[in-house]
Amino acid sequence: MVKTLLITRPKHDITTRYLFYWSHELIDLAKEKGFSVLDLDDKRANAKEFNSMVRKHEPSFVFINGHGDENVVCGQDNEILVEADKNEEIFSSKIIYALSCKSAKILGRKSIEKGALVYIGYEDDFIFFRDNERISRPLEDKTAALFLEPSNQLVRSMLKGHSAEDSFNRSKNKFYENIKSLLSSESSDNFLVPWLLWDLKNQVCLGKKDAIL
């Protein structure tokens, strides 16, 4: 049976634009690993399309890129895709990774209660810095890479067949590697260390930690 990845990639501001482009390699990897990929990019990252695709195709892995808060994850133009106490049951039987601020705090836990296998996300804001001289070329932004590479490592590991917990730990290890690299250098980017620690601390893995795709 072909496994399916559903990914949302809104692109309506600088933050979502970065996530949009940084997800390209993960889409390529998913296809290489034999996944069917449902790419809800740009304006397709809306509630109607999201709900239709999830219910029709029952993806095993849902990767959300976008803004959010404790109760919601959002798509294009911050349209709510999933909301706690409203439609979180749509995540039932699925592995979720939400690169979205704060959503693990309430929505993630309620999603697990409603049957999601795994919810990996952040209990507070996911913060990343960028190089303003690279805004037009996000993939060349080495400052943003310090934050987005650990995130990509999590998805990369899941797609390669590692468990949710192992993938989660590999992501955290990548944060640690980047922190150690900054601390051992005389880089002017040392000020980023507390923010990398912030993201590392607030990333959580809820649910069936031994689940694999």
Side-chain angles (χ1 to χ4, degrees):
M1 183 176 178
V2 176
K3 292 173 286 190
T4 301
L5 163 69
L6 185 148
I7 179 171
T8 65
R9 295 193 301 140
K11 193 174 68 168
H12 57 272
D13 59 17
I14 293 175
T15 296
T16 53
R17 187 172 179 275
Y18 265 71
L19 303 186
F20 177 95
Y21 286 108
W22 271 83
S23 297
H24 271 307
E25 68 154 308
L26 302 173
I27 291 171
D28 290 342
L29 176 61
K31 292 176 179 177
E32 179 186 314
K33 293 296 180 182
F35 283 77
S36 172
V37 177
L38 305 173
D39 180 16
L40 301 187
D41 63 332
D42 208 337
K43 294 181 180 179
R44 292 189 67 213
N46 62 72
K48 182 179 179 180
E49 188 94 0
F50 177 81
N51 279 274
S52 173
M53 287 294 179
V54 173
R55 298 188 189 283
K56 180 178 179 180
H57 296 280
E58 287 292 328
S60 50
F61 188 20
V62 178
F63 176 22
I64 303 287
N65 289 284
H67 295 292
D69 62 28
E70 293 95 334
N71 292 288
V72 306
V73 287
C74 300
Q76 182 71 12
D77 299 321
N78 294 330
E79 181 179 2
I80 294 173
L81 303 181
V82 184
E83 183 173 0
D85 294 324
K86 186 172 182 180
N87 67 330
E88 69 270 32
E89 71 279 356
I90 200 169
F91 286 152
S92 179
S93 303
K94 298 168 181 59
I95 293 174
I96 313 300
Y97 173 45
L99 185 51
S100 183
C101 291
K102 299 182 180 179
S103 72
K105 191 169 185 178
I106 296 176
L107 175 60
R109 285 168 168 76
K110 288 185 176 288
S111 296
I112 296 298
E113 290 173 7
K114 291 293 182 69
L117 287 180
V118 175
Y119 194 104
I120 301 174
Y122 299 84
E123 292 189 310
D124 212 312
D125 289 337
F126 175 82
I127 293 171
F128 75 90
F129 285 71
R130 57 183 179 264
D131 180 347
N132 287 331
E133 294 183 1
R134 295 288 185 272
I135 285 177
S136 64
R137 303 183 301 281
L139 296 177
E140 297 177 16
D141 191 332
K142 294 182 179 179
T143 299
L146 292 167
F147 298 85
L148 298 179
E149 259 300 323
S151 171
N152 275 18
Q153 180 61 58
L154 192 152
V155 179
R156 197 180 297 122
S157 297
M158 290 295 307
L159 294 173
K160 290 181 176 180
H162 296 279
S163 71
E165 184 173 36
D166 188 28
S167 300
F168 171 71
N169 288 331
R170 286 169 183 256
S171 175
K172 284 188 171 289
N173 286 340
K174 187 63 179 174
F175 274 119
Y176 280 123
E177 286 177 17
N178 291 345
I179 290 166
K180 288 177 183 177
S181 177
L182 288 177
L183 290 175
S184 64
S185 71
E186 296 182 359
S187 169
S188 60
D189 288 338
N190 284 348
F191 76 96
L192 297 173
V193 168
W195 301 108
L196 287 163
L197 284 168
W198 172 271
D199 287 342
L200 187 158
K201 173 187 173 184
N202 284 297
Q203 187 188 73
V204 295
C205 178
L206 309 172
K208 194 173 184 293
K209 293 181 170 58
D210 61 349
I212 60 172
L213 292 172

